[in-house]
Amino acid sequence: EPARTMAIVNQHAVTSWVGIARLFAVVLSCLAFSLVASTRDFWGPSGTWCMFTWCFCFAVTLLVLVLELLELYPKLPLSWDDFTSAFSMLAALMVFTTSVVFPSTFISSPCSGSKCARQAVATAASCLCFLAYALEVGLTRAKPGDISSFLSTVPGLLKVFEAYVACLIFSLLDNYQSKPGLHWCVAVYSICFVVTFLIIVFTIGRCLAYLPFPLEKLMVGYNALALMMYITATVLWPLYNFKGTTRPDPCGRNCWWDRHLGVTFLTIFNLIAYLVDLVYSSRMVFIRTP
C-alpha cells in the first residue's frame, strides 16, 4: 500500500479568538506599512523603526499562523506557548510605540491631501493592530495558579516589558561619560536588560529546567536585586542630569533635555514593573493556591 502523506490542517488556528486576533494583526500591519510605503515618506531613524515594526510583526505573525494551521510547531526545538506569548507582548509594545512615534513625526498640521489621508489611515490601522495584539495577550495569559507557560504569566509578560523599556532607554542615552553617577545608571540598565533577556531566551529554549536550583526562588531574588538597583538609578539619573540646569530654549526635536527626561520616565516605568514583578513572583513562591 503506497504511503500517504497528508498535510494536517488545524482550522481552530484561524477560527478561535486568538486566531482571529492574529488575522486582524496581519491585515492591519500589512495595511499600515503598505500605505506608508506608498507615500515614500519614512525617512530617518523614526521612519525606519516604524516600517521595521509593521513588517516584522506582519512576517512573524503570519509565520505563527501558518505553523499552527499546518501543526508544524511541535517539531520546533522551543516552547511554543512561551514564544507566542512573548512575541504577542513584544509586538503590542512595538506597535504601540510606533502608533505614537509615526503621527507625531510625519503627520504635519494642518493635514490635507491624499498623502496625509494615507498617513492618517496608516496610523488608525496601527492603533487597531495594537489592540489586536493586546487582545491576543489577554486571551493567552495564564490563569492564576497555572505556570505551565512562564512567559504567559504576569511575571513572564513583565519580563518582556522590562526588556523592551530597557531598549527604549538605550535608544535615548547620550552624553553620560563625564559623570560617575550616570555610569552606574547605565550599568543598572545594561545588567538588568542582559539578565532579563537571558531569562526570556532560556525560557523559550527550554533551558531553565536544567538549572541546579529552584527557578521560582531565583526569580524572587533577581527581581528584588533589580528593584534595588533601579531605585538607585531613579534617584541618580535626574539628580546628575537636571540639578542646576534648566531646559534649553529653544529645545529642538533631538534636544538632550527631552531625551534625558524620557530616560527618567522610562526608568520609573521599569522600577514599577520590577516592583509588580517582585510581588507576583513572591506570591507564586510563597502563596500556593490549592
Side-chain angles (χ1 to χ4, degrees):
E1 184 177 338
R4 294 180 299 174
T5 58
M6 293 182 60
I8 301 176
V9 178
N10 178 20
Q11 296 182 354
H12 185 70
V14 292
T15 58
S16 64
W17 284 111
V18 174
I20 293 172
R22 289 171 178 163
L23 286 173
F24 271 104
V26 167
V27 173
L28 291 167
S29 58
C30 180
L31 177 63
F33 74 71
S34 299
L35 288 172
V36 174
S38 69
T39 65
R40 299 175 182 251
D41 185 12
F42 47 92
W43 44 265
S46 297
T48 303
W49 163 257
C50 294
M51 288 295 286
F52 168 78
T53 295
W54 292 320
C55 294
F56 171 74
C57 294
F58 166 80
V60 177
T61 307
L62 183 61
L63 179 63
V64 168
L65 280 172
V66 171
L67 291 175
E68 290 207 345
L69 186 64
L70 301 179
E71 291 194 345
L72 298 175
Y73 64 90
K75 300 179 181 180
L76 299 177
L78 51 82
S79 174
W80 183 252
D81 289 339
D82 284 310
F83 170 74
T84 54
S85 296
F87 169 72
S88 60
M89 182 64 176
L90 175 63
L93 294 169
M94 292 176 66
V95 174
F96 174 78
T97 306
T98 299
S99 301
V100 175
V101 170
F102 179 76
S104 62
T105 304
F106 294 98
I107 298 182
S108 57
S109 181
C111 180
S112 60
S114 62
K115 175 183 173 181
C116 183
R118 282 176 285 175
Q119 290 175 328
V121 174
T123 302
S126 184
C127 293
L128 293 175
C129 186
F130 159 70
L131 293 178
Y133 282 118
L135 176 62
E136 182 183 348
V137 171
L139 291 172
T140 57
R141 187 172 71 85
K143 304 298 185 293
D146 181 13
I147 57 173
S148 58
S149 173
F150 171 70
L151 292 181
S152 65
T153 63
V154 173
L157 295 174
L158 284 172
K159 287 286 179 288
V160 180
F161 177 85
E162 291 154 5
Y164 181 75
V165 171
C167 290
L168 294 181
I169 290 175
F170 294 144
S171 70
L172 296 175
L173 288 177
D174 65 348
N175 192 25
Y176 59 85
Q177 293 85 356
S178 60
K179 300 175 181 178
L182 299 183
H183 290 174
W184 166 252
C185 295
V186 175
V188 169
Y189 304 143
S190 303
I191 293 171
C192 293
F193 168 76
V194 170
V195 176
T196 302
F197 180 74
L198 288 177
I199 290 173
I200 296 171
V201 172
F202 287 168
T203 301
I204 295 175
R206 297 174 178 172
C207 299
L208 292 179
Y210 299 103
L211 294 177
F213 33 77
L215 174 62
E216 295 84 0
K217 295 182 180 180
L218 172 67
M219 293 295 181
V220 173
Y222 165 65
N223 290 331
L225 178 61
L227 177 64
M228 290 187 289
M229 293 173 68
Y230 259 90
I231 289 175
T232 62
T234 303
V235 175
L236 293 177
W237 181 265
L239 178 65
Y240 277 87
N241 276 299
F242 302 123
K243 184 179 180 180
T245 62
T246 57
R247 189 174 188 270
D249 186 20
C251 189
R253 185 183 296 275
N254 291 319
C255 177
W256 67 268
W257 176 278
D258 292 343
R259 295 171 70 90
H260 291 179
L261 185 63
V263 172
T264 300
F265 280 106
L266 290 173
T267 303
I268 295 173
F269 291 159
N270 247 2
L271 172 67
I272 297 173
Y274 278 109
L275 175 61
V276 177
D277 197 352
L278 176 61
V279 172
Y280 269 89
S281 58
S282 299
R283 289 178 59 187
M284 291 173 65
V285 172
F286 300 110
I287 303 178
R288 300 291 183 180
T289 56

